[in-house]
Amino acid sequence: MKAKRFLLSIGTIFLCICNASGVELYLDSEAPLDERINDLIGRMTLDEKSSLLVNTNEGVERLGIPAYDWWNEALHGIARAGYATVFPQAIGLGAMWNPSLLEEVATVISVEGRAKHHQAKRDGNAHERYRGLTFWSPNINIFRDPRWGRGQETYGEDPYLTSRMGVAFVKGLQGEDPTYLRAAACAKHFAVHSGPESERHHFYADPEEVDFYNTYLPAFEALANEANVEAFMMAYNAVYGEPCSISSKLYDLLYNKWGFEGHIVSDCESLGDLHQHYNRALNEMEAEALALEAGLCLKCGEKSSNVAEAVRSGLIPEWLVDQRLFRLLRTQFRLGFFDIQEMVPYASIPYSENDSETHSALARKAAQSSIVLLQNNGLLPLQKAEYKKVLVVGPNADSVEVLLGNYSGTPSNPVTLFKGIKEAFGADTEVVLMTGCELLESPDYLHSIEPWFLDSAVNGDKVFYEFFVNSEIQGEAVYKHHSNSMSYRFPSSNSGNRQISLRISANLKPTKLGKYEFRFSGNGGFRIYVGEVLLVDAWEQTGFTTREFEYEINSLELLPVRVEYRHDEGSLSGSLEWKLPKTSTSENPAVAIAKDCDLIIFAGGLSPILEGEEMQVQFEGFDGGDRTQIELPTTQAKLLKELSQLEVPLVYVNFSGSAVAFPSLIEDMDAVVQAWYPGQQGGHAIADILLGKSNPVGRLPLTFYGSTDDLPPFDEYGMSDRTYRFFKGQPQFAFGHGLSYSTFDYRSFDIAQSSADSEIAFIASVEVKNTSNCDGEEVIQLYVREPEIVRPLDIKSLCGFKKVFIEAGETKVVQIPVTRKAIQRWNAETDEYEIHHGEWKLFVGSASDDIRLGELLNLE
């Protein structure tokens, strides 16, 4: 630490000489980067330095440091910044098992990010959130348990697959220019973070040391050392008794063990947890001081910094502020913020590169590559000439939100499953759409209208609010707002004579015929229209009013509903609730229609409405964004069972960001497709797979268990009996599983050991023949079993893979190099990684449970 202080002092003397001569070294693009950064820091006051250590800051205008918000998202496309190309959710990208394709996807994402950023500069709003070039992606946490709602943001349950996909994403996002970054990627959430969502602000994760080093860390280390990721984000939770934002163990790994040179950001508002939940600080100022002292560079969640006050109070020295700011400015220099734009190769990317047809085509290719064919009794690929009437049914049949997942952009032309199927079959086939059932069973009492009963708009929002500054809904709306709820509450007006009215519009998607009960409650007068019929007129009411009414629904067509509301006093609030008709003993209309069809395509599963980040979701089987049960919801299972009893071919398309259990239905379905949340071209891509335009090549990046009972307690972070590497039971579908329309034969499996000083431990070679009459891609998977393992369970782990295109009848010899890092294991006694000596078992196959050949290898 003394050496660092001495170097900073020498740097300060140098800067004073520069300043005395009037040389603005930091603007000299030919000067060494470190000198430029130190020169800029030396020109700032303590308050100016402090102001830059928060994600939303005003910059330093006198020095040309732009106002900037570091917060931007690019998990599977540029998010929250208007129209952009939306690729499959990250778990679907992981299912591609194709790092080169993911790098191509990430390249497109960063190109669109650059296009948006430079357009924002031209428009004068580049300082706003979601307009910058620092993207808090990818999420490389291990998806250890399918109940975690944010698991959809990851690349799956395996540390090796996650590291390969994560490295590819970062390289694509950041680009290959030796001087400038196309964009800055961020590895998150460091570390050991995967739920429960409801406890993340105060949760203590304490995995066994062997799990910490062998499972939770490898992907992060790979991104730091191989991909040179520009940023790390610390997790909310604590690890081994220390909150991650101040964990000496984690910062030591980054700065000292891995030599990480980028910057480190807190997860948003996590520093508040230090004094609100962990009792490590008395206030926000102490929390910031502790975090900076530990190694943090940037605080997310507040627009102001307490760092200057912390320095003046003696909590931290100013030279420490300079150190942390150095890393932040390094990122901005590498993005070209302080150079003329003609020098920055990415600054000339035009806005026309955003949301282009070429990028949409890549989204379709990525979706095709992500879709996993779980089961096929020979029905697929479909011969469309055989089907004159097709029923597309289920709660996700025409849903936009299931294309997107969380952290999503807005597609300009999303293609739902129904739209894709209808277009693919063409005019000669009648394609019928029905919802058939809801995502979950509705309770038998008046309650808020569930979002899946509301028709999606283009961006996934379902309810349209228009505000007027008069009491009669006259003239132009002064404010428009989108929501997914027919219940609303806005701040109190504190004035009884405030003139406000609003119109709330939505389309209901009923799943049952019969008499529906409704109730509206609100402060003030209201009118309620169903279709164009005025059903309730309570416009002259004052104070809090509740009115109940009934409406007979005789058709399953979309039903427009409009609420006009006149604010009276107090809070601006109201709620439209309903209760569905009692379950009828008569036949479900979808079943009646299905009997007259040649093919049924059922679109079910989950929705980002139900699973995601820290959500206010408390339906049965779901809790705060996580799940408490992994089984397919009963209302869907019931309709699937009824449809399967018909003598009509049945294809089940499962949309979800995680594994869903439906073993009791497997034998009843002719084909099962796992679609994930497939992005803007999802409907086209699924149709391509079903009709054989594209041969399925996706493989599961996580285990599909048969039951919630197969899982250990959710809040236990030990890996025992988790994931394919340690699970003792029989999975519903195994890690790496995925069927093809082609068949492949494996033979001649050989292993060639490398020299002791090589990063490559050995090279596996296998001969693979396409024994079908259909061209296809095979994902060749290589697994190892160690000669000595910590646990008594005889496990195997992925150590290499390659996706290879093989023409019908063709044979290819495929080589897979295996690095030493891929087979190293943690030794708690020596506190180091090592490679076990002795006899290793090597396996090659098309899935973790479909091993074709094996070999032994002695490593000395």
Side-chain angles (χ1 to χ4, degrees):
M1 189 60 72
K2 289 182 179 179
K4 289 182 179 179
R5 292 183 184 180
F6 174 75
L7 290 174
L8 282 167
S9 298
I10 294 296
T12 301
I13 294 171
F14 172 74
L15 293 177
C16 289
I17 295 172
C18 289
N19 290 344
S21 62
V23 177
E24 294 181 340
L25 181 63
Y26 74 96
L27 294 177
D28 182 2
S29 60
E30 299 299 320
L33 180 58
D34 288 5
E35 294 180 14
R36 296 180 69 188
I37 299 171
N38 282 327
D39 177 52
L40 183 54
I41 292 174
R43 297 171 185 270
M44 282 188 252
T45 67
L46 173 60
D47 288 310
E48 287 171 339
K49 297 172 189 176
S50 173
S51 71
L52 297 177
L53 300 181
V54 290
N55 70 282
T56 301
N57 64 72
E58 297 302 320
V60 182
E61 185 177 359
R62 69 181 184 86
L63 295 173
I65 301 176
Y68 188 68
D69 197 319
W70 292 77
W71 188 346
N72 209 343
E73 305 288 353
L75 183 64
H76 55 118
I78 301 299
R80 304 171 179 174
Y83 290 136
T85 304
V86 181
F87 294 93
Q89 176 60 292
I91 191 67
L93 295 174
M96 298 191 309
W97 286 60
N98 191 335
S100 62
L101 180 55
L102 181 54
E103 185 171 346
E104 188 178 351
V105 166
T107 298
V108 163
I109 293 172
S110 63
V111 165
E112 293 199 0
R114 273 282 177 176
K116 286 179 175 291
H117 174 73
H118 291 292
Q119 182 61 45
K121 288 183 70 174
R122 291 187 287 271
D123 294 340
N125 61 356
H127 62 285
E128 294 179 1
R129 184 165 297 172
Y130 310 129
R131 295 296 185 271
L133 295 172
T134 44
F135 295 101
W136 292 346
S137 309
N139 182 339
I140 53 168
N141 292 125
I142 296 302
F143 198 176
R144 65 181 176 90
D145 191 301
R147 288 168 289 197
W148 185 35
R150 296 190 73 179
Q152 61 179 282
E153 300 174 28
T154 76
Y155 299 126
E157 69 184 26
D158 181 73
Y160 180 77
L161 177 63
T162 298
S163 69
R164 294 307 91 208
M165 301 304 280
V167 165
F169 183 90
V170 171
K171 287 184 174 181
L173 202 71
Q174 296 191 165
E176 299 178 351
D177 189 272
T179 303
Y180 297 102
L181 297 168
R182 186 163 48 229
C186 176
K188 67 182 187 184
H189 310 81
F190 193 57
V192 196
H193 178 76
S194 52
E197 282 297 300
S198 61
E199 299 179 26
R200 68 181 187 173
H201 292 283
H202 54 82
F203 186 78
Y204 285 81
D206 297 304
E208 294 180 41
E209 194 174 64
V210 66
D211 292 329
F212 179 69
Y213 286 99
N214 289 344
T215 297
Y216 293 112
L217 287 189
F220 285 104
E221 183 178 4
L223 265 62
N225 292 336
E226 292 182 52
N228 296 314
V229 68
E230 188 65 18
F232 268 73
M233 175 179 282
M234 309 307 283
Y236 287 107
N237 56 275
V239 176
Y240 299 129
E242 287 186 303
C244 290
S245 58
I246 58 170
S247 169
S248 57
K249 187 179 187 70
L250 296 183
Y251 286 110
D252 180 61
L253 282 168
L254 285 171
Y255 287 143
N256 301 322
K257 300 292 197 306
W258 299 347
F260 175 64
E261 295 183 344
H263 70 266
I264 302 175
V265 59
S266 70
D267 208 338
C268 293
E269 300 180 359
S270 65
L271 297 193
D273 296 339
L274 295 179
H275 60 90
Q276 294 172 12
H277 299 294
Y278 291 116
N279 297 317
R280 302 305 174 97
L282 294 177
N283 51 45
E284 191 77 8
M285 181 183 71
E286 284 195 8
E288 286 184 59
L290 282 174
L292 246 68
E293 189 172 31
L296 194 75
C297 305
L298 182 70
K299 178 180 74 167
C300 173
E302 299 289 341
K303 290 186 177 182
S304 61
S305 169
N306 298 289
V307 170
E309 184 182 352
V311 172
R312 295 186 183 106
S313 301
L315 293 178
I316 51 174
E318 187 171 353
W319 62 261
L320 182 64
V321 177
D322 293 350
Q323 279 191 348
R324 303 302 180 240
L325 181 58
F326 181 96
R327 290 174 175 267
L328 287 176
L329 290 173
R330 175 184 179 273
T331 298
Q332 291 189 318
F333 271 95
R334 296 191 70 204
L335 289 168
F337 283 15
F338 300 99
D339 293 337
I340 59 173
Q341 294 305 282
E342 288 74 15
M343 296 185 60
V344 183
Y346 308 120
S348 60
I349 294 174
Y351 190 71
S352 59
E353 285 291 322
N354 180 66
D355 192 29
S356 68
E357 291 186 9
T358 301
H359 295 174
S360 184
L362 182 62
R364 185 168 181 166
K365 179 181 179 181
Q368 291 168 346
S369 299
S370 71
I371 294 167
V372 182
L373 179 58
L374 296 177
Q375 176 174 295
N376 183 21
N377 68 358
L379 175 66
L380 303 183
L382 301 170
Q383 304 300 314
K384 69 178 183 179
E386 298 179 7
Y387 305 101
K388 298 303 180 184
K389 188 174 183 180
V390 176
L391 173 64
V392 181
V393 62
N396 290 332
D398 199 32
S399 168
V400 173
E401 58 260 18
V402 298
L403 300 177
L404 307 182
N406 67 356
Y407 284 93
S408 172
T410 301
S412 57
N413 185 26
V415 182
T416 64
L417 176 62
F418 168 69
K419 184 176 180 180
I421 294 296
K422 186 174 179 64
E423 183 177 321
F425 273 94
D428 292 336
T429 301
E430 181 185 0
V431 180
V432 181
L433 171 67
M434 294 193 73
T435 302
C437 68
E438 50 269 26
L439 276 168
L440 303 175
E441 194 73 51
S442 290
D444 189 28
Y445 53 82
L446 284 161
H447 60 279
S448 297
I449 299 174
E450 298 95 333
W452 51 85
F453 285 104
L454 299 167
D455 186 44
S456 296
V458 168
N459 60 1
D461 292 324
K462 300 163 179 292
V463 185
F464 184 44
Y465 287 78
E466 299 171 277
F467 290 79
F468 302 84
V469 287
N470 57 72
S471 61
E472 296 297 331
I473 311 186
Q474 293 177 346
E476 291 293 322
V478 296
Y479 176 66
K480 298 177 181 180
H481 172 70
H482 288 88
S483 172
N484 286 324
S485 175
M486 294 290 286
S487 298
Y488 59 93
R489 184 178 182 85
F490 298 94
S492 174
S493 69
N494 296 318
S495 172
N497 59 4
R498 186 175 174 187
Q499 300 292 299
I500 296 176
S501 58
L502 65 148
R503 180 166 52 226
I504 310 158
S505 306
N507 288 321
L508 294 180
K509 293 191 299 184
T511 59
K512 298 179 180 179
L513 303 178
K515 187 173 292 185
Y516 285 68
E517 297 178 39
F518 290 86
R519 177 173 61 203
F520 183 83
S521 304
N523 274 328
F526 53 89
R527 292 187 289 252
I528 299 175
Y529 296 82
V530 178
E532 292 303 318
V533 179
L534 176 61
L535 288 186
V536 176
D537 188 352
W539 194 250
E540 301 304 323
Q541 293 287 340
T542 59
F544 183 80
T545 307
T546 295
R547 185 70 63 87
E548 295 185 3
F549 62 98
E550 295 180 341
Y551 186 80
E552 184 87 21
I553 294 181
N554 300 311
S555 169
L556 298 182
E557 300 291 326
L558 288 178
L559 186 64
V561 171
R562 186 169 82 254
V563 176
E564 295 179 347
Y565 170 82
R566 177 186 56 77
H567 178 243
D568 183 25
E569 61 181 15
S571 64
L572 186 65
S573 61
S575 176
L576 181 64
E577 301 172 307
W578 76 349
K579 177 182 174 183
L580 274 64
K582 293 186 181 298
T583 302
S584 173
T585 56
S586 62
E587 187 176 62
N588 187 312
V591 176
I593 294 292
K595 291 177 180 178
D596 191 38
C597 293
D598 305 310
L599 175 69
I600 305 167
I601 301 174
F602 186 96
L606 305 177
S607 166
I609 292 172
L610 297 172
E611 57 175 350
E613 179 180 5
E614 201 176 26
M615 301 169 67
Q616 298 299 315
V617 173
Q618 298 297 332
F619 301 112
E620 183 179 357
F622 299 85
D623 180 25
D626 298 322
R627 290 189 289 163
T628 58
Q629 302 168 8
I630 65 170
E631 285 75 16
L632 184 69
T634 54
T635 182
Q636 296 183 49
K638 180 177 181 295
L639 179 55
L640 262 176
K641 189 69 176 178
E642 293 175 5
L643 294 171
S644 70
Q645 305 305 309
L646 307 177
E647 294 183 2
V648 181
L650 174 62
V651 177
Y652 174 52
V653 180
N654 189 73
F655 292 88
S656 67
S658 52
V660 175
F662 38 81
S664 62
L665 296 166
I666 286 296
E667 294 181 359
D668 299 326
M669 296 180 282
D670 296 295
V672 181
V673 172
Q674 176 62 30
W676 313 107
Y677 300 135
Q680 66 183 50
Q681 285 286 320
H684 281 151
I686 297 167
D688 291 340
I689 296 291
L690 298 185
L691 290 167
K693 185 176 180 179
S694 177
N695 196 341
V697 295
R699 302 292 184 266
L700 291 182
L702 70 166
T703 302
F704 272 47
Y705 302 91
S707 167
T708 307
D709 293 337
D710 289 337
L711 303 172
F714 183 28
D715 58 1
E716 290 184 4
Y717 268 73
M719 293 305 295
S720 178
D721 217 21
R722 291 189 184 282
T723 76
Y724 80 99
R725 296 162 65 222
F726 308 108
F727 181 49
K728 303 181 184 70
Q730 182 66 36
Q732 179 179 216
F733 295 108
F735 174 84
H737 172 76
L739 303 179
S740 169
Y741 298 147
S742 306
T743 55
F744 300 94
D745 183 39
Y746 288 63
R747 47 187 123 164
S748 301
F749 183 38
D750 295 309
I751 307 295
Q753 239 176 297
S754 301
S755 60
D757 60 349
S758 171
E759 292 183 0
I760 302 299
F762 55 85
I763 298 176
S765 177
V766 64
E767 192 177 280
V768 182
K769 181 178 181 179
N770 184 337
T771 55
S772 70
N773 59 2
C774 178
D775 298 346
E777 286 182 281
E778 173 69 327
V779 181
I780 299 152
Q781 303 169 34
L782 190 65
Y783 296 87
V784 294
R785 183 173 294 154
E786 304 143 61
E788 297 177 5
I789 55 177
V790 175
R791 293 175 175 79
L793 180 63
D794 194 21
I795 64 171
K796 59 180 178 291
S797 299
L798 185 72
C799 65
F801 62 91
K802 185 171 286 188
K803 180 172 278 189
V804 181
F805 176 79
I806 307 176
E807 294 180 356
E810 182 186 13
T811 299
K812 283 189 176 179
V813 176
V814 181
Q815 292 187 331
I816 303 177
V818 176
T819 65
R820 296 189 184 279
K821 280 189 174 294
I823 59 172
Q824 69 181 10
R825 300 293 183 262
W826 183 254
N827 186 326
E829 295 181 0
T830 63
D831 205 33
E832 295 286 347
Y833 284 107
E834 63 181 36
I835 296 177
H836 295 307
H837 297 296
E839 189 175 75
W840 288 70
K841 296 179 181 178
L842 306 177
F843 309 93
V844 67
S846 61
S848 62
D849 68 341
D850 186 8
I851 300 301
R852 307 295 181 86
L853 299 169
E855 278 291 332
L856 299 177
L857 175 66
N858 282 299
L859 291 176
E860 301 300 330

